[in-house]
C-alpha cells in the first residue's frame, strides 16, 4: 500500500527503452514519473535507472545532465535495468572504438566484461532461467524461473550477486549493494515473473531496506 507522498521516478537517461519500462510499471498500476529533474529524483521514494545501448553513451548523457553525483548519493531503493544495472558498477569493457574501459558510477565494486558465451551466439537474446537468492527483489520468484535477456556484456559472479544465470559461463543476472540493485534481464519483457519483480520493488522503501539489513545483521 502506497501513500500520497509515495513517488517512483524513472530517470530520463535518453535511452530507447524508457517507454517500455514506464509501461511495465503502469501495467502493475504503479504511478511513475519519467524525469531528469534533480530535485524530483532526490525526493522520490524509489528510483529506476533504465538503459540500453553502450555504457559510454549512457554515462555521457548522465554527465551532461549533471546526474552522476545525484545518483551516487541516493539513499532510497534504486533499481538499475539492463544497461542501468551495468552503470552501477565501476567500469565497463563495452568501450566501442576507445582503448580504455568506460568508467561507470562506481557504486557496486564489480566490473562489466564481455560475456564468454563459449561459442553460443551473441548477443545472449531470449528467455533463460535464473537462480535467485532471498533478496526481497525476488520474493515469490521460484528458482529456475524464466526471464528475458538481451546482452553481450555481463557482471561476473561476485559477493554482490543476488541472482545468477548461465549462457556459456555463469554470470550475475542481478546484483545489489545496500539500497542499490540491478537486473541484467528485462523485467518489462519478462511477463508475469518480470511483473512480480517490479511489484516487489514497488514495496521497497528506505525504511524497509534498513529493517531488512538490521534483521540480517542479528
Amino acid at each position: 500500500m502506497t501513500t500520497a507522498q509515495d513517488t517512483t521516478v524513472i530517470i530520463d537517461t535518453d535511452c530507447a527503452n524508457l517507454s517500455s519500462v514506464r509501461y511495465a510499471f503502469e501495467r502493475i498500476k504503479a504511478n511513475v514519473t519519467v524525469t531528469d529533474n534533480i530535485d524530483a529524483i532526490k525526493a522520490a521514494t524509489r528510483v529506476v535507472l533504465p538503459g540500453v545501448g553502450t555504457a559510454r553513451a549512457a554515462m555521457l548523457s548522465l554527465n551532461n545532465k549533471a546526474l552522476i553525483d545525484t545518483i551516487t548519493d541516493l539513499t532510497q531503493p534504486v533499481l538499475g535495468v539492463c544497461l542501468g544495472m551495468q552503470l552501477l558498477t565501476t567500469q565497463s569493457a563495452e568501450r566501442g572504438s576507445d582503448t580504455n574501459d568506460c568508467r561507470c558510477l562506481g557504486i557496486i565494486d564489480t566490473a562489466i566484461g564481455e560475456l564468454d558465451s563459449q561459442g553460443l551466439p551473441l548477443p545472449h537474446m531470449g528467455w533463460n532461467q535464473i537462480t535467485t537468492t532471498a533478496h526481497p527483489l525476488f520474493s515469490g520468484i521460484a528458482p529456475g524461473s524464466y526471464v528475458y535477456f538481451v546482452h553481450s556484456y555481463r557482471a561476473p559472479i561476485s559477493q554482490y550477486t543476488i541472482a545468477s544465470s548461465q549462457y556459456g559461463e555463469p554470470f550475475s543476472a542481478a546484483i545489489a549493494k545496500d539500497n542499490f540493485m540491478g537486473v541484467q534481464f528485462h523485467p518489462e519483457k519478462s511477463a508475469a515473473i518480470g511483473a512480480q519483480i517490479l511489484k516487489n520493488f514497488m514495496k521497497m522503501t528506505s525504511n524497509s531496506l534498513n529493517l531488512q539489513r538490521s534483521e540480517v545483521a542479528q
Side-chain angles (χ1 to χ4, degrees), residues 3 5-9 40-47 75-78 201-202 204-206:
T3 68
Q5 292 76 38
D6 188 290
T7 57
T8 302
V9 163
I41 295 169
K42 288 181 176 180
T45 307
R46 62 193 69 80
V47 175
T75 58
Q76 62 268 65
V78 179
F201 178 68
M202 288 298 299
M204 296 182 191
T205 64
S206 297

Side-chain angles (χ1 to χ4, degrees), residues 108-110 156-162 172 175:
I108 300 179
D109 189 17
T110 188
I157 301 295
S158 72
Q159 68 189 87
Y160 304 107
T161 300
I162 58 171
S172 291
I175 56 177

Side-chain angles (χ1 to χ4, degrees), residues 115-153:
L115 177 64
D116 180 7
S117 67
Q118 299 183 19
L120 295 173
L122 287 174
H124 171 211
M125 182 166 62
W127 295 89
N128 204 346
Q129 291 177 290
I130 55 174
T131 300
T132 59
T133 67
H135 192 281
L137 190 64
F138 295 105
S139 177
I141 304 298
S145 294
Y146 281 86
V147 293
Y148 193 85
F149 290 91
V150 183
H151 66 117
S152 296
Y153 290 80

Side-chain angles (χ1 to χ4, degrees), residues 67-150:
L67 289 174
I68 291 177
D69 287 344
T70 297
I71 295 170
T72 57
D73 289 343
L74 293 175
T75 58
Q76 62 268 65
V78 179
L79 176 64
V81 176
C82 194
L83 178 61
M85 183 207 85
Q86 297 186 3
L87 296 181
L88 298 176
T89 70
T90 57
Q91 62 188 35
S92 172
E94 193 176 10
R95 63 178 74 93
S97 60
D98 292 332
T99 57
N100 297 320
D101 287 355
C102 173
R103 182 178 178 184
C104 297
L105 293 168
I107 296 168
I108 300 179
D109 189 17
T110 188
I112 303 301
E114 187 170 3
L115 177 64
D116 180 7
S117 67
Q118 299 183 19
L120 295 173
L122 287 174
H124 171 211
M125 182 166 62
W127 295 89
N128 204 346
Q129 291 177 290
I130 55 174
T131 300
T132 59
T133 67
H135 192 281
L137 190 64
F138 295 105
S139 177
I141 304 298
S145 294
Y146 281 86
V147 293
Y148 193 85
F149 290 91
V150 183

Side-chain angles (χ1 to χ4, degrees), residues 25-65:
F25 277 100
E26 291 175 348
R27 285 196 296 270
I28 62 169
K29 309 303 182 184
N31 183 19
V32 294
T33 301
V34 178
T35 185
D36 57 10
N37 180 275
I38 290 174
D39 290 335
I41 295 169
K42 288 181 176 180
T45 307
R46 62 193 69 80
V47 175
V48 180
L49 179 63
V52 294
T54 68
R56 195 169 300 280
M59 287 300 298
L60 179 62
S61 176
L62 294 178
N63 186 62
N64 289 340
K65 293 171 180 278

